[in-house]
Amino acid sequence: MQLKCVAIDDEPLALQIIEKYVAEYPALTLVNTFEDAISGGEYLKMNKVDVLFIDINMPDITGIDLVKSLTDKPMIIFTTAYKNYAYEGYELEAVDYLLKPINNLRFGTAVQKAIGYYQYKHTDTPNESDFLYVHSEYRLIKINIKDIEYIESMQDYIKIHMLGVAKPILTLMPLKSAIEKLPASKFIRIHRSFVVAREQIRSIHNRKVKLTNVELPVGTNYTDFIKDWHK
């Protein structure tokens, strides 16, 4: 696996740092760097790359506007000195959001996210993966499927409730899309708003499913659910 990378930043020193860090990862190849967003954008429209390191606050066009203009988006890692752009990065489903000055350890975390997500997206059977990738709190999060207790639909969002974690992970994704990413052998839909991990079901009684830490309602398809459960 070799990921082609491009870096765009109006600060030459920032580009030098990224070039230095990228060279430490054999899986990455920095194919080009640009000090202005317009030239970088033209290159990206003509050349396919896997990862884009891009500054947000640039004089000619912002990194956010450039990313929005791309029809075939690579994995995005934003680099900036300003925290207030984090929400825009979330909307564009950035892999990560690095604050300057970027240290090597934090850069490495972002790179490993990109590598893992690339492998996940290019597997032949993504729904049989041991992990689920979602965008939450401005970054890409890798979730171990065995740690999921249940998933709750919130219209266009879902809440992923994890074992031993009080706060669920909130992400912009319809429940149907989440189901398609999960192994059917390990999860079952009990209601239009709930999907639960099969091994977390402790009992089924009075149209309710009792999990380890919560009790959830079963929908109008109760009979079909019981048949599925007993397969």
Side-chain angles (χ1 to χ4, degrees), residues 5 8 20 22 42 56 65 86 89 94 97 104 106 110-111 113 140 155 157 160 168 171 177 179 186 206 211-212 231:
C5 308
I8 303 175
K20 175 186 174 183
V22 167
E42 290 300 317
I56 291 179
D65 287 338
Y97 181 92
N104 200 345
R106 186 65 186 82
V111 167
K113 284 184 183 181
L140 186 70
Q155 294 185 338
Y157 288 81
I160 303 175
T171 184
S177 296
I179 292 171
K186 297 181 180 180
N206 288 337
L211 306 182
T212 304
K231 283 182 181 180

Side-chain angles (χ1 to χ4, degrees), residues 25-93:
Y25 293 87
L28 304 183
T29 299
L30 190 62
V31 295
N32 220 324
T33 62
F34 297 91
E35 293 183 18
D36 69 280
I38 293 176
S39 298
E42 290 300 317
Y43 179 87
L44 291 170
K45 290 175 183 177
M46 300 296 293
N47 298 274
K48 182 175 176 58
V49 301
D50 302 301
V51 182
L52 172 62
F53 298 94
I54 182 166
D55 186 24
I56 291 179
N57 192 21
M58 292 183 284
D60 44 10
I61 178 175
T62 71
I64 289 188
D65 287 338
L66 190 154
V67 171
K68 286 180 178 179
S69 73
L70 299 176
T71 54
D72 187 13
K73 293 181 177 61
M75 291 181 286
I76 306 297
I77 298 178
F78 283 116
T79 61
T80 181
Y82 301 93
K83 293 182 180 180
N84 56 310
Y85 287 107
Y87 181 73
E88 287 86 347
Y90 171 77
E91 284 190 315
L92 293 171
E93 297 189 339

Side-chain angles (χ1 to χ4, degrees), residues 185-202:
S185 61
K186 297 181 180 180
F187 290 85
I188 185 170
R189 188 168 191 170
I190 65 168
H191 187 277
R192 63 191 178 101
S193 298
F194 297 105
V195 170
V196 303
R198 290 175 180 266
E199 66 177 22
Q200 296 302 320
I201 297 177
R202 298 295 174 256

